[in-house]
Amino acid sequence: ATPIHQAFSWLVGSAADSQDAQFAALALDVCHGLQTCLGLVHAADQSSGPDADADVSPILGAADKERLLLLAGAAVRMLGDRAFERVEKQNDHAAKAGRNGGVA
């Protein structure tokens, strides 16, 4: 029997074999996650300002907002590290091609 849940991927077919496409899909996932984290923190800040209704519970506590911001920072660092690795690989490949007369 075929399972009801189907794994999701931004990539279809042979695109899943491309390292560039895999990095783009990772960046897309991270960006969506960052947007969610920062949107929650922003909404929490808006709901707890000077005009906030005292009878309404806050969306997030201070500790939860801090955790979301730390998660966002970690995600940005991870994405930056992965991008740096890709740049280094591309530079190494180009340097090898230059030394070998255009063949890497």
Side-chain angles (χ1 to χ4, degrees):
T2 304
I4 294 173
H5 175 268
Q6 297 294 319
F8 174 80
S9 175
W10 295 109
L11 306 174
V12 211
S14 63
D17 298 332
S18 164
Q19 289 184 354
D20 288 335
Q22 290 173 9
F23 179 74
L26 172 69
L28 190 55
D29 284 339
V30 171
C31 288
H32 281 119
L34 289 169
Q35 185 178 19
T36 299
C37 288
L38 297 175
L40 285 168
V41 171
H42 177 70
D45 285 346
Q46 295 300 308
S47 71
S48 64
D51 298 328
D53 186 348
D55 295 333
V56 176
S57 295
I59 293 174
L60 295 170
D64 294 324
K65 290 193 311 186
E66 179 68 17
R67 287 183 190 110
L68 285 172
L69 291 173
L70 289 171
L71 176 61
V76 167
R77 276 189 304 280
M78 182 273 304
L79 187 58
D81 289 347
R82 294 286 289 274
F84 181 77
E85 290 169 8
R86 299 222 20 94
V87 167
E88 288 293 302
K89 264 188 193 177
Q90 294 295 327
N91 286 338
D92 289 346
H93 184 72
K96 286 178 186 172
R99 288 191 300 267
N100 297 330
V103 180

